[in-house]
Structure formats: C-alpha cells, structure tokens
C-alpha cells in the first residue's frame, strides 16, 4: 500500500481539502515554529501551566455536577463528593492540589520571565497577556476558595469583600452589591459559582490562547536573551529557519512530555499521600461548616495570596481606614504589567546584566517569599519561639515592612538603574552557544 493509499493520509487529505487553514495553523504553531536550541528547564513551565489548567477545567466539571449553591447545602455537598461519590475524593483533591501546584508553576514561570527578560521588546504584549492571566487566576482561585463554604471560606469572603468598603463614597454599596446581601450567603455563593464555573474560565481560555498566539508571532526568548530570528539562516531541518533553532514539534515536545511526566508523578504523590500538605493546600478550619458567630483563630488566605495579604497588613491604617493598604496590595500586582516600561535596559538575560540587577532580583525573590511567610503567620510563630521575652508583634511588623520595602524597592531601583544608565552590562554573544 503506497503512502497516498494509507487511511491516515487519506483522512489528512480530506481535512486539508475542507479546512486548509488547520494545516497552516499546525505548521505555524507546531512543526514550523522555531524554538532556540538552548532552552533549559525554566522554559518547560509554560506547558506545565497548560496541563494544570486542563486539570482544573476537567476536575471542576465533575465537582460542579454534585455541588449545591446554597449556604445550607454547599458544605454538605462537598462532604457528599468526598464520601459518597465514586472517586469523588480523588477529583476534589486533584482540584485543590492542582490549584496550589498551578500557582507554584505560574510564580516560577513569571520569575523566569523577569530573570531572562522575556517581558522586553518585542514581547511586551506576551508579558501583559501573561499578567492578565495571573489576575484572572487569582480571581478564579478566590472564588473557588469560597465555594466549599467551610468556616475559613466564609470569613475569607467576609474580610476580602469588606475591603472594598474602604473605597470612598461607593464602598458600602459596592460591598453589598458583591455579596448580594449584608453577609456572605446564598446570593454570594450563586454569584461566585457562576463566575468561577463559567465567566472566569472562558476569559482564561481566551487569554491563554492569545498568550500562545502572541508568543508564536515573536518567538520564544532563551537564556542568552538573543533574538534568533535575526541571526544566520539555515539548519538541518530548513534552509530558511534560524541556524540556532529547531522545530517545536516533535523535538521540543518530546522534552515537554518528559517534564510533564516527572511533574505529574510528583503531583500524584502529593494527591495520594499529603493532599492537605500540612494545612497549606487545605486549611483545617475549612473542614468546619461556615459559622458567622465563630471566627477562626487566625483568618488568613491560601498560601498563594499571602504575599499580597502581607502587604495589606503591613501598611499602617491612616485615618482608621485600610484604604492605603488595599491600594498598596493592588499596586503590587499592577506593577507587574508595567515592568516593560519600568526596566529600560537593553540587555535581556540575567546572565549578561549588571551586578546591581542580579542583587536586586535576589532581594526581590527573598522579599516575596518573606511576605508569603508573614501573610501566613509563620514569622510570628518563629519570632515567638526564638525571642520568647520580646514583643512578637513589633518584630513581625518590622520584618514584614522590610519585606514590603524589598518588593517595591525592586521596581524603584530598576527604574533608576536602567533609566539613568547606571547599569554596566556584560558583552552579549551574537549567537546561541553550541549545545
């Protein structure tokens, strides 16, 4: 049987005749999309994000089939999923663990973008779309955190929504509109469920698609920060392709499968043996039904929100209002899409940037982790253990405000460091080093 007579070839020809755009799409984004040959493990976080998004969508569908959106039944419906639905416990743990692992991957993915300058020209739109995905994920995670209607879910909703009450003139009306009531109740759950299951996932799918398409228009960055499109032409696969590149499929996708397999193996161990992860992925207080008369001992958000929650806590309340803390918290997030215009340096990769940038980046990473620990209450416990006779609150606030300074200081330093030509960079190689 000749190649033309094979059923697979005939099916491909049938599709190509009726939808010729699909073949062009496949070539552009798979077999003829050129990726640098020097990509390292940092560059496989993107595909992990796609896998984890698929996991959240898949498991979320099955959870929604058995969930009830009422304050009376929501908690019991989650318990029903865990105890009576066949494999329901596994679906729920895949969803909750998947959410935390998703943020681990996203945070590392964003840090890689800052480290290797993937936000710089011509990838500004790719970066901005990525930060919009991050904002959507944060919204989606908060909405989903409320839905189990445990005691921590109720009070987290109460505290976070009440923050909008600090907005002058419209704050109280805005809080009531978001809750749909004077306290989180049926109306709140109905709204959050609709947004969590329909609106935000649709926005996420659209943004992820645009993010990938924008990336494939300008091409992937690499650890050297060199634009391979402007280099010499010709490689073993094409006379017109960049010399230091290879086709995304099948040569890079093979590596993707290996990395995804290793990651899923580690994730399976967490799901089966430590789904709560010591209270970090699922808080103990959230296994208690919501009670508006019983406040948890420590109200704190999930770990992936704790850095920004710490910023809110560490900014003093002026005039008896938390408005400035809320503005600082949202400002910390909104600085990220502005990064292409804050960093005016021409060199992309940390490998060739000045010592000041490398030190500032390290301080930024430490500050972000420190803020996460402050927001989770970990530093108060540590200081209480280390300094039993000291004022723990003063130590905690001092440390937290230093971390806030380190976070915002990174962006301020970067603007001054690059705008006024202080940075002394290293020579950038003309081509990707041979692998």
């Amino acid at each position: 049987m000749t190649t033309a007579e094979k059923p697979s070839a005939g099916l491909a020809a049938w599709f190509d005749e009726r939808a010729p755009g699909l073949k062009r799409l496949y070539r552009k984004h798979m077999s003829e999309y050129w990726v640098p040959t020097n990509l390292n493990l940092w560059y496989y976080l993107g595909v992990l994000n796609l896998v984890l998004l698929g996991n959240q969508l898949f498991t979320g569908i099955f959870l929604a089939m058995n969930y009830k959106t009422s304050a009376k039944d929501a908690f019991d419906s989650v318990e029903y999923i865990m105890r009576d639905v066949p494999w329901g416990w596994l679906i729920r743990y895949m969803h909750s663990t998947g959410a935390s692992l998703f943020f681990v991957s996203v945070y590392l993915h964003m840090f890689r973008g800052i480290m290797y300058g993937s936000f710089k020209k011509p990838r500004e739109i790719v970066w901005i779309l990525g930060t919009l995905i991050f904002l959507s994920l944060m919204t989606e995670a908060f909405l989903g955190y409320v839905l189990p209607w445990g005691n921590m879910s109720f009070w987290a909703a109460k505290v976070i929504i009440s923050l909008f009450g600090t907005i002058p003139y419209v704050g109280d009306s805005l809080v009531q509109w978001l809750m749909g009531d004077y306290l989180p109740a049926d109306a709140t759950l109905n709204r959050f469920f609709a947004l969590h299951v329909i609106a935000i996932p649709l926005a996420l799918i659209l943004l992820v698609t645009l993010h990938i398409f924008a990336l494939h228009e300008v091409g992937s960055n690499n650890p050297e920060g060199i634009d391979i499109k402007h280099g010499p032409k010709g490689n073993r696969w094409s006379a017109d392709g960049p010399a230091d590149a290879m086709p995304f499929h099948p040569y890079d996708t093979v590596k993707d499968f290996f990395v995804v397999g290793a990651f899923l193996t580690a994730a399976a161990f967490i799901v089966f043996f430590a789904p709560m992860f010591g209270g970090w992925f699922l808080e103990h207080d959230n296994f208690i039904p919501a009670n508006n008369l019983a406040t948890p001992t420590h109200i704190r958000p999930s770990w992936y929100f704790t850095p920004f929650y710490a910023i809110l806590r560490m900014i003093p309340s002026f005039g008896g209002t938390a408005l400035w803390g809320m503005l600082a918290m949202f400002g910390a997030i909104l600085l990220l899409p502005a990064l292409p215009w804050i960093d005016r340096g021409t060199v992309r990769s940390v490998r060739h940037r000045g010592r000041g940038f490398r030190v500032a980046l390290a301080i930024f990473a430490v500050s972000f982790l420190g803020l996460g620990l402050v927001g989770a209450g970990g530093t108060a416990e540590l200081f209480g253990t280390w300094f039993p006779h000291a004022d723990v609150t003063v130590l905690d606030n001092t440390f937290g405000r230093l971390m806030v300074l380190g976070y915002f200081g990174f962006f301020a330093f970067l603007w001054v460091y690059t705008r006024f030509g202080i940075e002394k960079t290293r020579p950038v190689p003309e081509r990707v080093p041979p692998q």
Side-chain angles (χ1 to χ4, degrees):
M1 181 180 289
T2 64
T3 304
E5 294 173 339
K6 291 182 179 178
S8 58
L11 185 62
W14 187 88
F15 269 104
D16 191 42
E17 182 180 354
R18 288 155 181 79
L22 292 178
K23 189 173 184 179
R24 290 196 298 269
L25 193 69
Y26 170 80
R27 286 177 174 174
K28 180 176 181 178
H29 296 284
M30 296 294 288
S31 62
E32 295 180 7
Y33 172 60
W34 302 102
V35 296
T37 56
N38 65 330
L39 298 186
N40 56 27
L41 280 175
W42 284 100
Y43 284 86
Y44 297 101
L45 292 164
V47 71
L48 288 182
N49 291 335
L50 277 178
V51 171
L52 288 165
L53 176 61
N55 172 74
Q56 295 305 101
L57 294 173
F58 175 79
T59 55
I61 291 171
F62 285 94
L63 291 175
M65 291 178 183
N66 295 283
Y67 179 77
K68 295 184 178 180
T69 56
S70 72
K72 179 182 177 182
D73 300 320
F75 183 85
D76 290 337
S77 69
V78 175
E79 290 299 303
Y80 171 74
I81 291 170
M82 292 288 292
R83 298 174 186 274
D84 296 326
V85 174
W87 300 104
W89 62 272
L90 178 60
I91 297 294
R92 199 271 175 102
Y93 283 150
M94 286 175 63
H95 198 73
S96 61
T97 302
S100 287
L101 295 179
F102 203 170
F103 272 95
V104 170
S105 182
V106 165
Y107 279 134
L108 291 174
H109 188 59
M110 295 175 71
F111 181 74
R112 187 267 295 165
I114 298 173
M115 183 169 60
Y116 288 136
S118 298
F119 57 87
K120 290 180 175 291
K121 183 181 179 181
R123 299 178 180 86
E124 297 95 332
I125 292 177
V126 180
W127 175 259
I128 292 171
L129 287 168
T131 57
L132 290 176
I133 292 171
F134 176 59
L135 286 171
S136 300
L137 279 177
M138 294 184 75
T139 305
E140 177 78 347
F142 170 68
L143 297 172
Y145 183 76
V146 174
L147 294 181
W149 211 235
N151 207 33
M152 189 65 81
S153 294
F154 174 87
W155 286 100
K158 179 72 170 64
V159 170
I160 297 301
I161 297 175
S162 295
L163 288 175
F164 291 93
T166 62
I167 301 175
Y169 304 112
V170 300
D172 292 338
S173 300
L174 184 59
V175 168
Q176 189 175 341
W177 178 73
L178 289 171
M179 286 188 186
D181 206 332
Y182 294 103
L183 284 173
D186 285 0
T188 313
L189 280 175
N190 280 313
R191 294 177 183 199
F192 281 23
F193 182 76
L195 291 171
H196 182 74
V197 174
I198 301 173
I200 306 299
L202 289 176
L204 270 173
I205 292 171
L206 175 62
L207 287 170
V208 168
T209 303
L210 292 174
H211 185 66
I212 294 172
F213 277 34
L215 173 66
H216 286 199
E217 284 295 325
V218 295
S220 297
N221 190 26
N222 61 81
E224 297 294 333
I226 303 169
D227 193 346
I228 59 171
K229 284 188 175 183
H230 297 164
K233 300 294 182 181
N235 55 46
R236 57 185 292 191
W237 299 279
S238 171
D240 298 324
D244 302 318
M246 60 184 178
F248 174 66
H249 181 75
Y251 299 99
D252 203 57
T253 51
V254 169
K255 299 178 182 179
D256 286 341
F257 280 118
F258 176 79
V259 173
V260 168
F263 180 85
L264 292 181
T265 301
F269 273 96
I270 297 174
V271 168
F272 285 107
F273 297 107
M276 296 179 64
F277 212 72
W280 286 91
F281 288 3
L282 283 175
E283 295 87 349
H284 300 286
D285 283 325
N286 233 24
F287 287 89
I288 303 171
N291 186 346
N292 63 354
L293 300 178
T295 310
T297 306
H298 301 288
I299 299 177
R300 59 176 69 103
S302 293
W303 70 267
Y304 35 80
F305 293 136
T306 52
F308 304 104
Y309 176 66
I311 293 174
L312 170 69
R313 278 184 50 205
M314 291 299 113
I315 302 298
S317 297
F318 298 102
T321 177
L323 176 62
W324 298 108
M326 189 180 73
L327 291 176
M329 179 179 69
F330 284 110
I333 300 171
L334 295 177
L335 278 172
L336 295 171
L339 196 55
W341 294 272
I342 294 173
D343 184 356
R344 309 300 292 271
T346 55
V347 174
R348 294 174 185 158
S349 176
V350 68
R351 293 183 177 182
H352 311 296
R353 299 202 63 167
R355 181 179 299 174
F357 175 82
R358 297 197 296 274
V359 172
L361 184 63
I363 293 173
F364 174 73
V366 170
S367 298
F368 188 79
L369 294 174
L371 285 170
L373 194 59
V374 170
T379 50
E381 296 176 6
L382 288 175
F383 289 137
T385 302
W386 294 343
F387 308 102
H389 302 296
D391 190 335
V392 175
T393 302
V394 172
L395 293 174
D396 190 45
N397 287 343
T398 302
F399 178 81
R401 285 164 187 165
L402 284 174
M403 296 300 101
V404 172
L405 183 62
Y407 183 93
F408 286 102
F410 171 74
F411 297 96
F413 170 81
L414 205 54
W415 186 79
V416 173
Y417 188 60
T418 57
R419 186 174 182 84
F420 297 102
I422 302 173
E423 183 175 23
K424 304 299 181 184
T425 60
R426 300 176 179 182
V428 179
E430 295 183 1
R431 292 186 57 182
V432 170
Q435 302 302 303

